[in-house]
């Protein structure tokens, strides 16, 4: 009985001891896991998931085996210590890998920067920069390493409790080991994976022995034995790091080769070829001749009618005739002298008369109403509220006419705009049908395929039909004025029955500014001249490049000098736009595309330029968007971005766009009319500067070179406008904006030679 009791007591005591020891092992396991940082816990969960190495789950299994009596305490205790070391070792490996890669990135960036600036330096300075770039790069790598690893450690342990952080103070060890990582990484990466990976693993093992060694380690061999658990992880991890680093190094070599080749390219720069785009012009002219039937020709050249009467006949016949005449260069007929024209054997006129008609249609179309008729037309809608105060129209176009009037209630001067007599959407559609029918009939007789010219004609009529809605013009003026930062838009008052009432624009028309100042004997100071030039560039780039913070973007599509007024009394906004009947409307996304598209010309992105020119284009039957993009991109690469072309010309955008549009015309691709208007507006903004070519005549003293002012201001203001536009676009649609920027960055990375050849063509041409 006593023996049985003794045995029971021994068994109970043994069980209690085992339970106590088991609890100690569990407590140690929890302590080890709890004190791991974010990286350690992530590695542990990964090991559990794929069931490899020592992990939290395998430790628990060992403890369970001990509790069952299948394994001794010392073995489990050693397993937990090895697990603790393995987790720390794996965490150190991750920290060292990221630190080393960051250090190599700094080294590579230093080398790349030295490579990228080489073409812009003198030969002697470039040699010095190249000489010091390697030691400087290694120094930056060390600095990056000693700052990166402690920072990563801080983030890894940020959630630990204060006493747990205190027990794991490693700042100075991390700083020193990070500096070693920074020094070794460039060497290891440049040696390649075969030598680099063993070098990194060896360096990592030495660091573990120096900085993570524990008292129970008898020798370096014990340390190596403990690291076997993470050997596969280290080989894979360091292999990946070496691969990434090698890619950075390969990229550097690629840039060096691209720059060397581009520097050779620009030694033989040829001028950018200017293309003749008469193909479309002549084709339209020939088809327009179909409208000139014998009766109209008789009226134009035999009847003895006045110039105004002849112009009215052309307007009444078909809107195509005056609209087409507006595109004819004013001096084209003058080149042939004043030779008489024969019609049916009779001398009926001369080219000087036609030249006058061409000139008049551009700026001074005939009134369709007398002052009395115009007053009666206004009174039908507004009663006696407005009274015309001039003896002729204030301005007349092919679609509408404007009159200066007095508001009889307020006494203020206002401008009223309405469609010309007989002008309507129905007339435009009737005119379209007449010309389309004539072209189709002519094509049947000649056997030609009229598809291309018909698509072009329809595109023009679609655009002209938008000009008859004056309520929409008023809305456009309000939006244009609402978003304006550097200019004014004539203020709208009312629109009723398609009669648009607006305030009178202050100042004088742009093209009359110098003559008016001379006539009045007025002068401006040099500073006022600089301010006026600066403001014009601000207006120019705001119109072309701005993106509103919200809502749609509206851009004046016809900013010719007659539609822009200068008011010197307004120092902040001296320019005012009128006539917003022809405007372009863009979503914020479309506006940012237009803005960044201007960068494509300077980085050689022919695909981006082609995509912009082809936006919503009218393609011939059977041609896909992809095919059209390939055609235009290939043509631009051959004629412009070939590495041997001097791109610093008189008008970069116009010259390149002309080449792209010529390629499109040759392949029967019709640009979207909005795109055509955008390109036309850009050219007009630049050509408007000729209105100031004689500005020195009204300056108190010599103002110096306007070209220098123009170049400096354009670069500064353009840069500021692009920055603001990108910020506003990011507010509207961050993902879209980042994608557009990334597309340009990716292009530069994929095409370093073309990028640098393009940049250097500008730099070389300016030397």
């Amino acid at each position: 009985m006593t023996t049985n009791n003794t045995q029971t007591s021994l068994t109970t005591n043994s069980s209690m001891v085992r339970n106590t020891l088991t609890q100690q092992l569990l407590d140690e396991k929890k302590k080890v896991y709890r004190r791991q940082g974010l990286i350690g816990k992530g590695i542990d969960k990964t090991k559990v998931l794929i069931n490899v190495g020592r992990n939290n789950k395998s430790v628990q299994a060992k403890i369970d085996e001990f509790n069952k009596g299948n394994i001794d305490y010392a073995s489990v205790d050693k397993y937990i210590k090895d697990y603790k070391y393995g987790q720390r070792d794996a965490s150190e490996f991750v920290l060292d890998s990221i630190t080393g890669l960051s250090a190599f990135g700094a080294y590579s960036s230093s080398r790349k920067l030295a490579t990228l600036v080489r073409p812009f330096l003198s030969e002697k300075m470039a040699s010095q920069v190249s000489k010091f770039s390697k030691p400087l790069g290694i120094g930056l790598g060390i600095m990056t390493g000693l700052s990166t690893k402690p920072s990563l450690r801080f983030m890894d342990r940020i959630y630990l409790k204060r006493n747990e952080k205190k027990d794991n103070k490693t700042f100075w060890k991390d700083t020193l080991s990070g500096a070693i990582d920074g020094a070794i990484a460039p060497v290891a990466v440049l040696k390649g994976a075969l030598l680099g990976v063993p070098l990194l693993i060896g360096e990592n093992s030495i660091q573990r022995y120096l900085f993570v060694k524990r008292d129970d380690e008898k020798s370096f061999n014990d340390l190596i034995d403990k690291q076997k658990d993470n050997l596969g992880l280290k080989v894979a991890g360091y292999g990946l790091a070496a691969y990434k680093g090698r890619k950075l190094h390969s990229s550097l070599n690629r840039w060096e080769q691209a720059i060397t080749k581009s520097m050779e390219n620009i030694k033989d720069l040829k001028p950018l070829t200017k293309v003749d785009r008469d193909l479309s012009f002549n084709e339209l002219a020939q088809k327009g001749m179909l409208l000139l039937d014998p009766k109209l020709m008789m009226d134009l050249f035999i009847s003895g009618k006045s110039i105004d009467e002849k112009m009215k006949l052309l307007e009444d016949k078909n809107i195509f005739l005056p609209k087409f005449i507006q595109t004819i260069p004013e001096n084209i007929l003058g080149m042939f002298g004043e030779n008489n024209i024969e019609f049916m054997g009779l001398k009926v006129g001369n080219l000087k008369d036609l030249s006058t008609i061409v000139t008049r249609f551009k700026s001074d179309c005939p009134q369709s109403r007398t002052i009395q008729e115009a007053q009666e037309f206004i009174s039908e809608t507004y009663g006696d509220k407005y009274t015309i105060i001039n003896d002729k129209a204030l301005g007349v176009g092919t679609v509408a006419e404007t009159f200066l009037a007095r508001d009889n209630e307020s006494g203020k001067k206002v401008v009223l705009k309405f469609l010309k007599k007989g002008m309507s959407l129905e007339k435009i559609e009737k005119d379209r049908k007449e010309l389309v029918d004539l072209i189709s009939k002519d094509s049947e007789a000649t056997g030609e395929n009229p598809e291309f010219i018909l698509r072009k004609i329809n595109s023009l009529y679609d655009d002209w039909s938008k000009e008859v809605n004056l309520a929409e013009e008023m809305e456009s003026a309000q939006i244009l004025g609402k978003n304006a930062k550097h200019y004014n838009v004539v203020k709208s008052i009312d629109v009723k029955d398609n009669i648009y009432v607006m305030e009178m624009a202050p100042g004088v028309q742009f093209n009359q500014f110098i003559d008016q100042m001379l006539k009045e004997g007025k002068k401006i100071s040099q500073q006022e001249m600089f301010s006026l030039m600066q403001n014009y560039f601000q207006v120019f780039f705001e119109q072309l490049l701005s993106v509103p913070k919200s809502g749609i973007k509206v851009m004046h599509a016809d900013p010719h000098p007659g539609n822009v007024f200068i008011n010197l009394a307004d120092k902040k906004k001296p320019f005012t736009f009128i006539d917003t009947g022809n405007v372009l409307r863009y979503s914020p996304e479309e506006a940012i595309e237009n803005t960044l598209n201007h960068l494509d010309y300077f980085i050689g992105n022919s695909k981006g330029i082609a995509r912009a020119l082809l936006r919503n284009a009218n393609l011939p039957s059977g041609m896909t968007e992809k095919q059209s993009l390939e055609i235009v991109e290939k043509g631009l690469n051959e004629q412009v971005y070939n590495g041997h072309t001097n791109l610093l010309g008189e008008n970069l955008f116009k010259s390149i766009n002309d080449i792209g549009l010529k390629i499109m015309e040759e392949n029967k691709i019709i640009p979207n009319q909005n795109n055509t208007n955008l390109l036309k507006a850009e050219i007009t903004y630049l050509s408007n500067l000729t209105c100031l070519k004689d500005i020195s005549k009204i300056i108190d003293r010599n103002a110096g070179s306007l070209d220098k002012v123009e170049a400096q201001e354009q670069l500064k203001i353009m840069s500021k406008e692009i920055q603001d536009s990108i910020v506003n676009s990011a507010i509207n649609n961050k993902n879209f904006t980042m994608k557009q920027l990334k597309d340009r960055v990716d292009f530069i990375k994929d095409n370093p030679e073309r990028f640098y050849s393009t940049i250097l063509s500008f730099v070389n041409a300016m030397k």
Side-chain angles (χ1 to χ4, degrees):
M1 189 71 177
T2 303
T3 301
N4 289 338
N5 288 338
T6 300
Q7 289 177 345
T8 301
S9 176
L10 287 173
T11 301
T12 301
N13 288 338
S14 176
S15 177
M16 290 177 61
V17 169
R18 185 172 296 279
N19 288 339
T20 300
L21 293 175
T22 299
Q23 189 59 48
Q24 288 178 2
L25 293 172
L26 288 171
D27 290 343
E28 183 62 21
K29 166 184 166 285
K30 291 177 182 178
K31 180 180 177 182
V32 171
Y33 185 78
R34 189 177 65 248
R35 293 193 174 188
Q36 292 177 31
L38 294 171
I39 295 173
K41 284 186 170 63
I43 292 172
D44 188 85
K45 290 183 182 300
T46 302
K47 286 182 175 181
V48 169
L49 185 64
I50 60 178
N51 193 29
V52 298
R54 298 181 182 89
N55 56 67
N56 197 43
K57 186 177 180 180
S58 67
V59 170
Q60 182 63 52
K62 292 289 184 181
I63 295 174
D64 291 342
E65 287 297 305
F66 167 75
N67 196 38
K68 294 176 183 178
N70 297 332
I71 191 173
D72 62 273
Y73 179 87
S75 297
V76 179
D77 183 56
K78 182 179 184 303
Y79 191 88
I80 292 176
K81 287 179 179 179
D82 289 346
Y83 163 65
K84 177 181 178 181
Y85 179 87
Q87 288 299 104
R88 293 201 61 176
D89 180 51
S91 297
E92 291 295 321
F93 153 71
V94 172
L95 292 175
D96 286 334
S97 297
I98 298 174
T99 300
L101 197 56
S102 300
F104 182 78
Y107 167 83
S108 179
S109 297
S110 172
R111 294 292 314 283
K112 182 176 284 189
L113 180 62
T115 300
L116 297 181
V117 301
R118 177 163 59 95
F120 308 107
L121 304 175
S122 66
E123 188 174 339
K124 182 178 179 181
M125 187 173 289
S127 176
Q128 290 294 320
V129 169
S130 178
K131 179 180 178 181
F132 289 105
S133 63
K134 285 186 178 180
L136 178 62
I138 291 177
L140 285 174
I142 292 172
M143 293 295 293
T144 301
L146 63 85
S147 60
T148 299
K149 189 169 181 180
S151 300
L152 291 173
R153 179 80 72 187
F154 173 79
M155 289 186 286
D156 179 47
R157 295 176 173 175
I158 196 168
Y159 78 98
L160 294 180
K161 295 179 181 179
R162 182 177 297 182
N163 65 317
E164 293 169 347
K165 291 180 182 179
K166 193 173 182 180
D167 291 343
N168 287 277
K169 283 186 176 181
T170 57
F171 176 78
W172 293 112
K173 290 180 180 179
D174 289 336
T175 301
L176 180 57
S177 61
I180 295 173
D181 290 336
I184 294 292
V187 178
V189 169
L190 297 180
K191 291 296 182 182
L194 191 61
L195 296 176
V197 172
L199 178 61
L200 288 171
I201 292 176
E203 180 259 341
N204 183 263
S205 298
I206 293 172
Q207 284 202 48
R208 295 297 79 73
Y209 184 73
L210 294 174
F211 301 126
V212 192
K213 191 176 66 158
R214 286 294 174 262
D215 294 338
D216 60 337
E217 290 167 11
K218 302 294 188 296
S219 66
F220 186 71
N221 289 334
D222 292 336
L223 173 74
I224 297 299
D225 184 63
K226 288 187 176 183
Q227 291 193 45
K228 289 179 181 178
D229 192 50
N230 295 315
L231 186 59
L233 177 66
K234 289 182 179 182
V235 171
Y238 280 136
L240 179 62
Y243 170 74
K244 288 287 186 182
R246 197 67 188 175
K247 281 193 70 175
L248 284 172
H249 183 61
S250 298
S251 173
L252 177 61
N253 286 340
R254 190 159 161 259
W255 274 95
E256 288 177 335
Q257 293 169 8
I259 289 172
T260 300
K261 193 167 182 181
S262 64
M263 291 177 72
E264 288 295 320
N265 290 342
I266 64 167
K267 290 179 180 179
D268 183 29
L269 287 182
K270 296 178 176 59
L272 180 63
T273 303
K274 292 187 177 181
V275 302
D276 178 12
R277 289 191 54 224
D278 283 344
L279 174 68
S280 177
F281 183 92
N282 292 334
E283 200 164 1
L284 284 174
Q286 291 170 10
K287 298 307 178 184
M289 291 290 289
L290 297 173
L291 294 164
L292 300 178
D293 55 52
K295 182 180 183 308
L296 180 59
M297 293 292 286
M298 292 280 287
D299 286 335
L300 289 175
F301 297 115
I302 296 179
S303 63
K305 295 180 183 293
S306 68
I307 293 292
D308 276 8
E309 288 173 325
K310 292 177 180 179
M311 292 174 69
K312 185 71 168 57
L313 285 170
L314 290 169
E315 285 185 334
D316 290 343
K317 176 63 179 174
N318 196 296
I319 193 175
F320 176 85
L321 293 173
K323 286 289 190 182
F324 176 75
I325 289 172
Q326 288 177 340
T327 67
I328 299 175
E330 292 182 29
N331 63 344
I332 194 169
L333 295 172
M335 292 189 298
F336 298 96
E338 297 184 8
N339 301 319
N340 290 330
I341 301 171
E342 291 191 5
F343 179 68
M344 297 177 65
L346 300 173
K347 293 182 179 180
V348 296
N350 58 60
L351 291 171
K352 185 176 180 181
D353 294 336
L354 293 181
S355 184
T356 301
I357 290 176
V358 169
T359 304
R360 286 279 306 277
F361 264 125
K362 288 177 178 293
S363 58
D364 187 22
C365 296
Q367 284 181 220
S368 68
R369 297 177 177 86
T370 64
I371 293 298
Q372 182 179 349
E373 289 173 331
Q375 183 64 64
E376 291 173 355
F377 184 71
I378 295 169
S379 297
E380 288 176 6
T381 298
Y382 287 101
D384 60 358
K385 182 173 175 59
Y386 300 111
T387 301
I388 297 175
I389 57 178
N390 275 13
D391 58 359
K392 66 175 184 177
L394 191 62
V396 184
T398 55
V399 173
E401 50 196 354
T402 58
F403 293 85
L404 183 63
R406 181 179 59 252
D407 184 334
N408 294 319
E409 295 177 1
S410 66
K412 292 182 178 180
K413 292 180 180 179
V414 295
V415 175
L416 289 92
K417 179 177 182 178
F418 38 87
L419 301 183
K420 298 176 77 169
K421 188 190 295 185
M423 178 55 62
S424 65
L425 184 59
E426 289 73 23
K427 171 179 166 47
I428 292 175
E429 291 305 319
K430 175 178 171 294
D431 290 353
R432 183 206 301 254
K433 185 176 185 306
E434 178 187 16
L435 184 54
V436 167
D437 288 346
L438 285 171
I439 292 172
S440 299
K441 186 176 179 180
D442 181 64
S443 299
E444 288 178 8
T446 60
E448 296 176 349
N449 184 354
E451 180 203 0
F452 175 63
I453 193 66
L454 285 178
R455 286 189 291 120
K456 197 164 189 66
I457 291 293
N458 279 316
S459 178
L460 291 171
Y461 276 96
D462 288 344
D463 196 51
W464 296 335
S465 66
K466 298 174 185 176
E467 296 182 33
V468 300
N469 189 341
L470 299 185
E472 189 170 298
E473 178 177 344
M474 176 176 168
E475 180 192 4
S476 297
Q478 291 171 337
I479 298 174
L480 189 63
K482 178 183 177 182
N483 292 322
K485 294 184 295 184
H486 302 297
Y487 58 87
N488 294 306
V489 178
V490 66
K491 293 183 179 178
S492 305
I493 296 175
D494 189 22
V495 62
K496 188 186 298 184
D497 295 339
N498 223 25
I499 299 177
Y500 177 26
V501 186
M502 67 199 90
E503 292 185 359
M504 185 178 178
V508 62
Q509 285 176 308
F510 202 174
N511 54 346
Q512 299 176 4
F513 172 64
I514 302 295
D515 289 341
Q516 188 66 28
M517 293 287 285
L518 290 171
K519 182 178 178 181
E520 297 176 8
K522 293 182 178 179
K523 297 278 187 179
I524 62 174
S525 68
Q526 189 178 33
Q527 182 57 48
E528 286 175 320
M529 183 274 293
F530 284 147
S531 296
L532 188 66
M533 293 291 293
Q534 179 178 357
N535 185 260
Y536 182 76
F537 290 130
Q538 288 175 321
V539 174
F540 176 14
F541 288 121
E542 180 182 350
Q543 277 280 284
L544 295 180
L545 305 176
S546 69
V547 177
K549 290 183 179 179
S550 61
I552 64 171
K553 156 79 178 287
V554 173
M555 174 183 166
H556 202 303
D558 190 20
H560 67 75
N563 284 339
V564 183
F565 278 67
I566 296 180
N567 176 27
L568 292 180
D570 190 338
K571 302 297 183 185
K572 292 185 177 179
K573 296 182 179 181
F575 293 95
T576 299
F577 284 110
I578 67 167
D579 192 3
T580 55
N582 189 2
V583 298
L584 300 172
R585 295 170 178 243
Y586 297 109
S587 67
E589 290 74 23
E590 290 171 328
I592 192 62
E593 277 189 289
N594 290 341
T595 298
L596 294 180
N597 174 241
H598 288 80
L599 295 180
D600 292 332
Y601 294 81
F602 297 100
I603 65 176
N605 187 4
S606 55
K607 189 171 187 176
I609 297 170
R611 186 181 290 113
L613 291 173
L614 288 164
R615 188 186 302 148
N616 299 320
N618 192 326
L619 305 179
S621 300
M623 182 181 289
T624 65
E625 290 184 11
K626 181 180 178 182
Q627 288 171 332
S628 67
L629 183 63
E630 290 172 350
I631 289 169
V632 179
E633 181 186 4
K634 179 183 177 184
L636 290 174
N637 287 339
E638 291 174 350
Q639 299 181 51
V640 182
Y641 296 108
N642 49 36
H644 301 281
T645 300
N646 178 6
L647 298 177
L648 193 66
E650 182 180 328
N651 190 329
L652 173 70
F653 299 128
K654 180 181 183 303
S655 299
I656 295 177
N657 288 338
D658 281 349
I659 291 172
L661 292 171
K662 179 71 176 279
I663 295 168
M664 291 169 65
E665 287 173 359
E666 290 171 343
N667 289 275
K668 307 300 183 184
I669 301 170
I670 301 173
N672 178 269
Q673 198 58 40
N674 272 3
N675 267 9
T676 302
N677 287 338
L678 175 62
L679 300 177
K680 177 184 172 185
E682 291 191 2
I683 296 167
T684 304
Y685 274 113
L686 288 172
S687 64
N688 281 351
L689 287 170
T690 59
C691 296
L692 299 176
K693 67 180 184 300
D694 295 326
I695 197 170
S696 59
K697 294 179 180 179
I698 63 170
I699 297 175
D700 287 339
R701 57 190 179 85
N702 190 0
S705 171
L706 288 180
D707 292 339
K708 183 177 180 181
V709 176
E710 179 182 340
Q712 291 175 342
E713 289 302 322
Q714 282 199 50
L715 288 174
K716 185 173 73 173
I717 298 169
M718 183 178 183
S719 175
K720 176 69 166 57
E721 196 62 59
I722 288 177
Q723 290 177 34
D724 291 345
S725 297
I726 292 173
V727 170
N728 287 346
S729 185
I731 292 172
N732 277 294
N733 191 330
K734 183 178 71 174
N735 291 338
F736 180 84
T737 304
M738 292 303 105
K739 182 183 181 305
Q740 290 293 309
L741 290 171
K742 182 178 180 298
D743 286 346
R744 271 72 186 182
V745 173
D746 288 345
F747 167 80
I748 293 172
K749 284 169 28 180
D750 294 339
N751 302 273
E753 183 185 339
R754 192 190 307 170
F755 167 72
Y756 245 89
S757 292
T758 304
I759 294 295
L760 291 179
S761 74
F762 291 109
V763 175
N764 188 70
M766 289 189 290
K767 288 181 179 179

